[in-house]
Amino acid sequence: SSSPPVIMHVDINSCFATIEQQANPLLRGKPVVVAAYTTNNGCILAASIEAKQYGIKTGMRIKDAKYLYPRLIALSPDPDKYRVVNRALTLLLEKYSSNVSVQSIDEMVLSLSETPALFRALQTHTTVLDAMLSIAYEMKQRVKQEIGEWITVSIGIAPNRYLAKVASGLQKPDGLRWITKENIFSVFETLKLEDLCGIKHGNATKLRSCGVVSPLSLLYTDSDTLKRG
């Protein structure tokens, strides 16, 4: 797309677990998970950044996670905490744009097209991307100052929502990446099909069967071929 990169996807890193660490400083820096149940068969809903370093993932059972790290701290969900942070982040983002869409408890998308925030940033930056990056850095700082010092967000910038979400997942935690017409080929050549939003193992297998073996080849594949696949 030749459209300017004015769409931003904001994702709270390890949302539930990070919010619990923010609320209780004694949990910071430790492998923590939030699970539907804290018994051995409880399913993990969120793993802290530290827990992920041991290979602990969302969807894993507590007993399997403790096999990877026996001293794992398992907590029950506290939805009220998460809603407070969700609302605080929404209000912060609405200071930059009136077009904010809450995708889930930890993900939001906003458009800064023709907003006062973008116009102000363009007074000191020569390109839209540079202006967007300066706004993103400011947002990150304000999240720490106004919502919680332990909370980080990954931000993706792109001309549309889909690519902005892909960009937000390129660097975690605390990432800031962008996809534009200038760098989309260099970014996509580093990814697997499963790295794209909406493509899981089954979809990827189907795509590969019709010759679409990577995100880069997906860019070059015509719509008729995709429909036949």
Side-chain angles (χ1 to χ4, degrees), residues 72-119:
L72 182 70
I73 300 170
L75 304 174
S76 297
D78 188 346
D80 288 340
K81 278 198 195 93
Y82 315 145
R83 282 192 285 266
V84 166
V85 172
N86 174 276
R87 184 58 183 157
L89 181 58
T90 302
L91 291 173
L92 191 158
L93 298 184
E94 286 176 344
K95 294 177 182 178
Y96 293 89
S97 172
S98 60
N99 188 358
V100 177
S101 174
V102 179
Q103 303 295 295
S104 65
I105 195 76
D106 62 341
E107 291 183 305
M108 299 176 192
V109 178
L110 62 157
S111 170
L112 282 96
S113 177
E114 300 183 0
T115 59
L118 182 58
F119 289 142

Side-chain angles (χ1 to χ4, degrees), residues 16-17 20-21 30-38 42-48 51-52 56-58 60-62 65-66 72-77 82:
F16 298 167
E20 295 293 347
Q21 290 175 314
K30 298 178 181 179
V32 174
V33 297
V34 175
Y37 304 98
T38 56
C43 180
I44 293 174
L45 305 175
S48 70
K52 289 177 179 177
I56 297 169
K57 301 177 182 179
T58 299
M60 190 176 282
R61 299 291 176 182
I62 293 288
K66 285 188 173 180
L72 182 70
I73 300 170
L75 304 174
S76 297
Y82 315 145

Side-chain angles (χ1 to χ4, degrees), residues 8-217:
M8 190 179 288
H9 186 104
V10 181
D11 181 1
I12 302 175
N13 301 136
S14 299
C15 182
F16 298 167
T18 298
I19 292 172
E20 295 293 347
Q21 290 175 314
Q22 173 62 38
N24 183 355
L26 295 177
L27 298 175
R28 297 179 188 179
K30 298 178 181 179
V32 174
V33 297
V34 175
Y37 304 98
T38 56
T39 54
N40 280 339
N41 286 323
C43 180
I44 293 174
L45 305 175
S48 70
I49 293 166
E50 298 83 3
K52 289 177 179 177
Q53 292 171 353
Y54 289 93
I56 297 169
K57 301 177 182 179
T58 299
M60 190 176 282
R61 299 291 176 182
I62 293 288
K63 62 181 178 181
D64 298 322
K66 285 188 173 180
Y67 177 79
L68 297 174
Y69 187 79
R71 291 180 292 166
L72 182 70
I73 300 170
L75 304 174
S76 297
D78 188 346
D80 288 340
K81 278 198 195 93
Y82 315 145
R83 282 192 285 266
V84 166
V85 172
N86 174 276
R87 184 58 183 157
L89 181 58
T90 302
L91 291 173
L92 191 158
L93 298 184
E94 286 176 344
K95 294 177 182 178
Y96 293 89
S97 172
S98 60
N99 188 358
V100 177
S101 174
V102 179
Q103 303 295 295
S104 65
I105 195 76
D106 62 341
E107 291 183 305
M108 299 176 192
V109 178
L110 62 157
S111 170
L112 282 96
S113 177
E114 300 183 0
T115 59
L118 182 58
F119 289 142
R120 287 194 299 271
L122 283 170
Q123 292 176 3
T124 54
H125 296 84
T126 56
T127 69
V128 171
L129 178 58
D130 286 341
M132 290 289 290
L133 290 171
S134 72
I135 293 170
Y137 282 120
E138 181 180 300
M139 285 178 178
K140 283 174 164 287
Q141 188 61 33
R142 291 186 66 176
V143 166
K144 287 186 173 296
Q145 293 173 345
E146 300 174 25
I147 301 178
E149 62 183 356
W150 198 256
I151 295 174
T152 61
V153 295
S154 289
I155 298 178
I157 297 170
N160 60 58
R161 289 184 175 212
Y162 182 81
L163 290 179
K165 181 173 175 61
V166 173
S168 72
L170 295 177
Q171 179 186 352
K172 287 189 176 183
D174 202 18
L176 174 55
R177 297 289 298 275
W178 57 95
I179 298 175
T180 65
K181 63 178 182 178
E182 287 80 17
N183 76 341
I184 187 168
F185 297 102
S186 61
V187 170
F188 271 34
E189 70 181 1
T190 68
L191 304 179
K192 305 187 300 295
L193 284 171
E194 291 85 350
D195 293 325
L196 298 181
C197 306
I199 298 182
K200 301 301 181 185
H201 177 72
N203 307 103
T205 300
K206 199 170 183 180
L207 284 168
R208 291 185 179 104
S209 70
C210 62
V212 181
V213 297
S214 70
L216 199 57
S217 65

